[in-house]
Amino acid sequence: VQLVESGGGLAQPGGSLNLSCVAVGFAFSDYVMTWYRQAPGKERELVAHVSITDDATTYAGSVKGRFTISRDNAKSTVYLQMNMLKPEDTAVYYCAAHGVNNNADEYWGRGTRVTVSS
């Protein structure tokens, strides 16, 4: 079982990045997907969350209107499109898969670093 994030890097304030997270080894379409982030010296926080069928999303207030989470179950991939980036978006971003109903399984990626700086 693996979740592999990619797409991080350096962006200027106001710029954009698109993160991807590919799932391997489990039934991706049976899991709710979430992006989290952890900035240096801070606790991990939830960034965005998407339902199994991609019809329900939630966002942290700090990213609402700037970030968009989506998923492609055919490709076992979840995305995080990040626009209008701010220095405070600098963090390591992790994707996670959470089972639903009677499935308590949970999987995490290793993270991809995003740095927003001029």
Side-chain angles (χ1 to χ4, degrees):
V1 172
Q2 272 190 305
L3 288 172
V4 181
E5 301 98 336
S6 62
L10 176 65
Q12 292 191 340
S16 298
L17 287 173
N18 189 24
L19 305 185
S20 299
C21 172
V22 179
V24 178
F26 65 97
F28 177 81
S29 59
D30 291 341
Y31 288 74
V32 168
M33 298 301 297
T34 305
W35 284 97
Y36 295 85
R37 69 185 180 186
Q38 188 165 19
K42 295 188 177 180
E43 293 188 355
R44 185 177 63 201
E45 63 172 344
L46 185 148
V47 176
H49 168 102
V50 61
S51 66
I52 287 175
T53 55
D54 197 27
D55 61 352
T57 56
T58 57
Y59 297 91
S62 58
V63 308
K64 201 168 186 178
R66 301 188 297 120
F67 290 10
T68 303
I69 188 171
S70 62
R71 65 188 295 160
D72 185 338
N73 286 343
K75 295 182 178 179
S76 297
T77 302
V78 61
Y79 305 96
L80 186 67
Q81 176 66 43
M82 306 188 295
N83 298 327
M84 295 183 287
L85 284 163
K86 303 177 181 180
E88 51 264 43
D89 294 319
T90 295
V92 177
Y93 284 71
Y94 301 89
C95 70
H98 304 279
V100 297
N101 299 323
N102 295 322
N103 179 8
D105 290 342
E106 187 175 281
Y107 306 117
W108 287 81
R110 293 187 175 183
T112 185
R113 185 173 301 275
V114 171
T115 302
V116 184
S117 175
S118 55

